[in-house]
Structure formats: structure tokens, C-alpha cells
Amino acid sequence: MKISSRFSIAVHILSLLAIQPSGHSTSDWIAGSVGTNPVIIRRVLGQLKKVKLVTVRAGSGGAFLAKSLSEINLLAVYRAVDVVEEGRLFHIHEEPNPACPVGANIQAVLELLLSRAQEAMEKILADVTMEELVNVLSKQIEARA
Amino acid sequence: MKISSRFSIAVHILSLLAIQPSGHSTSDWIAGSVGTNPVIIRRVLGQLKKVKLVTVRAGSGGAFLAKSLSEINLLAVYRAVDVVEEGRLFHIHEEPNPACPVGANIQAVLELLLSRAQEAMEKILADVTMEELVNVLSKQIEARA
DNA sequence: TCTTGTTGTAACTATAATGATTACAACGAA
DNA sequence: TTCGTTGTAATCATTATAGTTACAACAAGA
């Protein structure tokens, strides 16, 4: 099991739009940087557009950031691309036997404990903004230039 | 995307073995409590056996805890059933364009930041023992009895 | 020793998600 | 009006999950 690469692709797209704000960022051009098909990019852009993280120009083409980087955190991106149903990172088996004491109560206990683990993960995502990420990325680019 | 229910099934099995240590815990009987097929149970038991969390009696049948509950934490169970490849909760797109500054560096940055999120989640799992879980479960059982 | 119930596994199926791709109508600016 | 682009549907291959049948190997009691 892995969380869909839609998430990392979305972060890649936002980074491009931040670092290359002047360019004509068409789905074709973005796809060239991400290494995938333009349709994949359009689909992710559609999801980012729906939550107003980007604007996309139909017809003439091009995508643009709709918020400043400091206003975008990774959890918002993660939610936007819908890679994990909210509160449902762990799949708890759905039909334990209600006639068995353990079966009747295990779901509630697992939900309680596992949601904590999930929340810890999401808190880290919420605490990282695209601004910080782009800073790290820019330093990395300079260091290897 | 969801983390396979093998994990929650494994926790269910261990809870049963803890709460019902006297019984004859065959895969058939366990399957009745979990609400699935005995073969599913045998496969999970096989994984738990491999890391010495349980012993299983071939022939005459039955599974038994091989460690005390306080020695088993949820991360060990999670690892045992192999639901997430180590360090790979997030699938980072694999072929960004090395000729593009962002493409050439995004993987390293994402790996750094996302592994932190993953580690935060796993730390919670590591901090919960089966002993604590069974305590919570037992209280839940009593409260609803 | 034979019988019985169980485990361990292979093989197969159905279902769902992912990622890629083709195709094309709708759009917008030059 | 043309041309490049977006938005979206449809299709496909691949993979993982969960369930199921089948059966050899096994262990212990009768």
C-alpha cells in the first residue's frame, strides 16, 4: 500500500508554479517536468483548482498559484488530491462478530488508537507550508547547481 | 487508499489470544470472531509467527501468544503484516525530469519532509503496547456488558 | 494404526485503485 | 478563423486486497 503519487505530483506542480511564475505553465510543459502524461496533470490541476489553490486558464492555457506559498500547507494539498479518505487511513475490518466480546468492541478501540496515529501524521503535514518546502527545494537546487 | 485490514485483523487476533488464552483458538474459531475466512486468519497468523509474536500448533491446532502483551507494540504488529513497505508510505512519482531544476530535486525534498510525517505516525504505533490496547478493550467490554 | 480435525499453501476469482493513454468537444486569444 | 489548450470521458494494464476452494502434511487421541 502506498499513498497515491497524486500528492507528490501536486506538490511538484505547485513548486513549479512558484519557481517559474513567469513561464507559460501548460499541462504539457508541467508534464515534461513531472515525467508523466499531460492528462494526469490536468486532473490534478482540476483538484487543486476546486479548492482554489490554483487558477487555470482554459483556451489560452496556463496555470497560476491562487494563494501565496505561506498560505498553503501540505495537508491542504493532501486533502485536495483526495489520496486518503478523511479519517480513514487504516482500513479496519468491517464485520467482526457482535456476539463475541472482542468482536463487538475491537472496532471502537482501534478507531480510537489508530486515529491518533493518523492525526500525528497529518499534523506534520499541516505544519509544513509550501513556502518552507520551496525554500528547502531552492537551497537544494543551488547546492547542486 | 487505505492501509490493509490485515493490520486490524492481526490486532484482533492477538486480543483474542490474550483474552481467551484457555480456549482452543483454531483459525476457524478466530475467523468466526473476526468475520472472515479461516484462510485469511492462517495467512496473518503465519506472518505473526514469522516474527515470533505467536506460536501455532500444526495438526492438533490452536494459536498462542509467544510474548507477553507488554512486549508487543502496535508498530511490531504493523511491520509483521507488511501493510506498508518500510519508509514508503507515500508514493513519490518516480520519473521527474532531471533536466528541470525542480524535477531534479523534488524527490529528495519530498522524501525528507514526508518521511517525517510517516515517522510521526509510526511513533504513535510504537508507543502503544498490546497490553494497553487490551486494557482499553477490556474496559470497553465491561462498560457495555 | 487409523481416524479426525487442523495447519500451511497454492491456485483462482472478483473487486477496486492507480497511472497511462487516446480522443474530442469547448474554449480563448491572436 | 485558426490554433493551441483545457476539461473530461473512455479504455487499458497493472497491482493489491480480500475471499474462496482444494488438498497435502501433520499431530494426537481412539
Side-chain angles (χ1 to χ4, degrees):
Chain A
M1 192 291 312
K2 283 195 181 81
I3 290 174
S4 166
S5 63
R6 278 200 304 281
F7 177 38
S8 67
I9 290 175
V11 172
H12 187 142
I13 293 174
L14 295 172
S15 303
L16 279 177
L17 300 184
I19 289 182
Q20 194 88 268
S22 53
H24 188 199
S25 307
T26 65
S27 63
D28 223 39
W29 179 78
I30 297 173
S33 170
V34 172
T36 183
N37 191 287
V39 175
I40 302 288
I41 302 299
R42 283 181 225 147
R43 287 204 275 243
V44 174
L45 276 177
Q47 294 182 292
L48 296 177
K49 191 171 64 170
K50 201 178 295 176
V51 297
K52 303 197 194 306
L53 291 182
V54 302
T55 55
V56 182
R57 233 176 13 198
S60 53
F64 307 87
L65 287 176
K67 292 191 179 177
S68 75
L69 289 182
S70 60
E71 291 175 304
I72 305 175
N73 67 60
L74 293 190
L75 184 60
V77 181
Y78 172 90
R79 294 258 192 259
V81 293
D82 204 28
V83 283
V84 172
E85 198 185 342
E86 188 145 6
R88 296 268 175 275
L89 175 60
F90 294 92
H91 183 4
I92 299 175
H93 56 295
E94 283 161 18
E95 290 177 319
N97 188 342
C100 164
V102 172
N105 293 282
I106 192 77
Q107 284 176 315
V109 173
L110 283 171
E111 228 157 278
L112 174 73
L113 296 177
L114 298 186
S115 66
R116 284 189 203 157
Q118 174 173 356
E119 283 158 16
M121 189 267 276
E122 293 176 354
K123 178 159 186 352
I124 302 290
L125 296 184
D127 283 349
V128 179
T129 65
M130 278 300 302
E131 186 175 33
E132 297 173 67
L133 186 143
V134 169
N135 279 342
V136 175
L137 180 60
S138 299
K139 288 207 181 83
Q140 179 91 5
I141 290 173
E142 283 169 36
R144 308 194 355 151
Chain B
M1 193 288 313
K2 282 195 182 80
I3 290 174
S4 167
S5 62
R6 278 200 305 280
F7 178 38
S8 67
I9 290 175
V11 173
H12 187 142
I13 293 173
L14 295 172
S15 303
L16 279 176
L17 300 185
I19 289 181
Q20 195 89 267
S22 52
H24 188 200
S25 306
T26 65
S27 61
D28 223 39
W29 180 78
I30 296 173
S33 170
V34 172
T36 184
N37 192 288
V39 175
I40 302 289
I41 302 300
R42 283 181 225 146
R43 288 205 274 242
V44 173
L45 276 176
Q47 295 183 290
L48 296 176
K49 190 172 63 171
K50 201 179 297 175
V51 296
K52 303 197 195 305
L53 292 181
V54 302
T55 56
V56 182
R57 235 177 10 200
S60 55
F64 308 86
L65 287 176
K67 292 192 178 177
S68 76
L69 289 183
S70 60
E71 290 175 305
I72 306 177
N73 67 58
L74 293 190
L75 184 60
V77 181
Y78 172 91
R79 294 257 192 260
V81 292
D82 203 28
V83 283
V84 171
E85 198 185 342
E86 189 145 6
R88 296 267 175 276
L89 175 60
F90 294 91
H91 182 3
I92 299 174
H93 54 296
E94 283 160 20
E95 290 177 319
N97 188 342
C100 164
V102 172
N105 293 282
I106 192 77
Q107 284 175 315
V109 174
L110 283 171
E111 229 158 275
L112 174 73
L113 297 177
L114 299 186
S115 66
R116 283 189 204 157
Q118 176 174 355
E119 283 158 17
M121 189 267 275
E122 292 175 355
K123 178 158 187 353
I124 303 291
L125 296 184
D127 284 349
V128 179
T129 65
M130 279 300 303
E131 186 175 33
E132 297 173 68
L133 187 143
V134 169
N135 279 343
V136 175
L137 180 61
S138 300
K139 288 206 181 84
Q140 179 91 6
I141 291 172
E142 283 170 37
R144 309 195 353 151

